[in-house]
């Protein structure tokens, strides 16, 4: 059983929903990023979604794009991200970490896909979300990742109809990430009433937990969305506070309030 599977099993037993937090690796600098990452589990985070810095993140809004640029300027990249995870794993061997990013970052790694996967597994990564690789390109990364023991988590969106959904779910594992709104991260607010039927449809087809992200910025929104899904993801609202230079303790206090909201869902 993977760390992701074990986490959802634990939450089901506790009758709780998952809280997933997104932060950009290396933002705003390696030392601060390491402190934030280390504090997330104690703040109530069940799964950490860790962004791989990239210059042109097409699915992300200005908040996360700026975080990636800050991380890159501070020396961030794949190697620095994996080093960050290795340091985290010295203290925490239970909280799942999912890398979220773009295929250019993986493809351009010295040694290519296989070396990236070897390094990711060794560092303690549990899953991948690669935004710009459709199911038609599963042989590029999805299938090799699963052979290496990593979950490959696919995005479903409001435009993923019943005809397209089987292809999206075919090689998905761990959970399905439902993008609650059309557009980029940090955009419109998610609406639980609108999302609920879509979550039910995808969960039935997938047989996997469905976690909802995009458009969730408050504890109240986290509670509402977690109430109709298996969990929720908050990213931009956290990253915004990091970008503003808020102290780590204040950032983690905000994360704790979001986690408490999700766990009430």
């Amino acid at each position: 059983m993977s760390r992701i599977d074990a986490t959802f099993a634990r939450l089901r037993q506790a009758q709780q929903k998952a809280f997933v937090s997104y932060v950009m690796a290396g933002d705003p600098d390696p030392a601060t990023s390491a402190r934030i990452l280390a504090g997330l589990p104690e703040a109530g985070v069940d799964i950490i979604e860790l962004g791989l810095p990239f210059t042109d993140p097409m699915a992300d809004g200005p908040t996360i794009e700026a975080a990636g640029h800050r991380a890159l300027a501070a020396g961030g990249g794949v190697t620095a991200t994996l080093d960050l995870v290795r340091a985290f794993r010295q203290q925490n061997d239970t909280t799942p970490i999912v890398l979220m990013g773009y295929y250019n970052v993986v493809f351009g790694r010295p040694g290519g896909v296989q070396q990236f996967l070897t390094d990711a597994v060794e560092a303690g990564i549990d899953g991948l979300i690669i935004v710009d690789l459709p199911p038609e390109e599963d042989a590029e990364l999805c299938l090799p990742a699963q052979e290496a023991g990593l979950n490959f988590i696919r995005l479903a969106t409001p435009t993923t109809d019943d005809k397209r959904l089987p292809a999206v779910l075919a090689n998905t594992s761990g959970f399905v990430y439902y993008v609650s709104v059309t557009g980029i991260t940090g955009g419109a607010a998610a609406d639980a009433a609108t999302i609920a039927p879509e979550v039910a449809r995808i969960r039935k087809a997938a047989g996997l937990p469905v976690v909802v992200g995009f458009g969730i910025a408050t504890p109240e929104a986290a509670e509402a969305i977690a109430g109709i899904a298996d969990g929720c993801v908050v990213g931009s609202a956290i990253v915004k506070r990091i970008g503003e230079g808020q102290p780590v303790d204040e950032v983690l206090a905000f994360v704790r309030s979001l986690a408490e909201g999700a766990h009430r869902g």
Side-chain angles (χ1 to χ4, degrees):
M1 180 179 286
S2 71
R3 289 189 187 98
I4 293 173
D5 294 336
T7 294
F8 280 107
R10 171 181 61 79
L11 291 167
R12 280 193 297 270
Q13 188 171 18
Q15 296 185 321
Q16 281 189 335
K17 303 301 179 66
F19 178 63
V20 184
S21 67
Y22 172 97
V23 293
M24 178 66 69
D27 176 39
D29 58 72
T32 305
S33 183
R35 289 179 58 205
I36 293 170
L37 194 66
L40 292 176
E42 188 177 348
V45 173
D46 300 299
I47 299 172
I48 297 169
E49 192 179 317
L50 191 60
L52 278 168
F54 182 51
T55 52
D56 301 292
M58 65 181 185
D60 292 306
T63 298
I64 290 179
E65 183 176 9
H69 291 168
R70 288 192 299 269
L72 290 169
V78 175
T79 297
T81 298
L82 296 181
D83 286 344
L84 187 68
V85 174
R86 289 186 187 96
F88 175 87
R89 287 286 177 229
Q90 291 179 7
Q91 306 298 325
N92 183 308
D93 194 41
T94 57
T95 303
I97 296 180
V98 175
L99 287 183
M100 183 171 186
Y102 298 84
Y103 188 51
N104 289 43
V105 179
V106 175
F107 186 75
R109 176 83 167 158
V113 167
Q114 288 301 329
Q115 188 61 54
F116 170 84
L117 294 174
T118 298
D119 294 342
V121 170
E122 180 272 330
I125 298 299
D126 300 286
L128 301 175
I129 300 174
I130 304 299
V131 176
D132 52 350
L133 269 184
E136 288 76 13
E137 305 298 334
D138 274 357
E140 286 284 326
L141 181 60
C142 173
L143 298 181
Q146 293 194 337
E147 290 173 5
L150 295 170
N151 289 125
F152 199 87
I153 296 147
R154 192 83 70 189
L155 303 178
T157 74
T159 61
T160 306
D161 60 18
D162 288 339
K163 183 178 180 180
R164 179 64 174 168
L165 188 59
V168 171
L169 300 178
N171 292 309
T172 299
S173 63
F175 62 92
V176 180
Y177 187 133
Y178 181 68
V179 177
S180 64
V181 296
T182 54
I184 56 177
T185 57
D191 178 67
T194 302
I195 294 166
E198 289 299 291
V199 169
R201 176 177 71 95
I202 293 166
R203 186 191 286 127
K204 181 179 179 181
L208 291 169
V210 179
V211 174
V212 176
F214 287 48
I216 305 167
T218 66
E220 294 75 20
E223 180 177 359
I225 297 300
I228 55 89
D230 298 294
C232 68
V233 185
V234 179
S236 294
I238 299 170
V239 173
K240 178 176 180 289
R241 285 162 171 78
I242 296 171
E244 291 170 345
Q246 290 190 10
V248 170
D249 289 348
E250 290 185 15
V251 172
L252 293 175
F254 176 63
V255 171
R256 185 175 291 107
S257 72
L258 295 166
E260 290 170 351
H263 291 152
R264 289 193 299 267

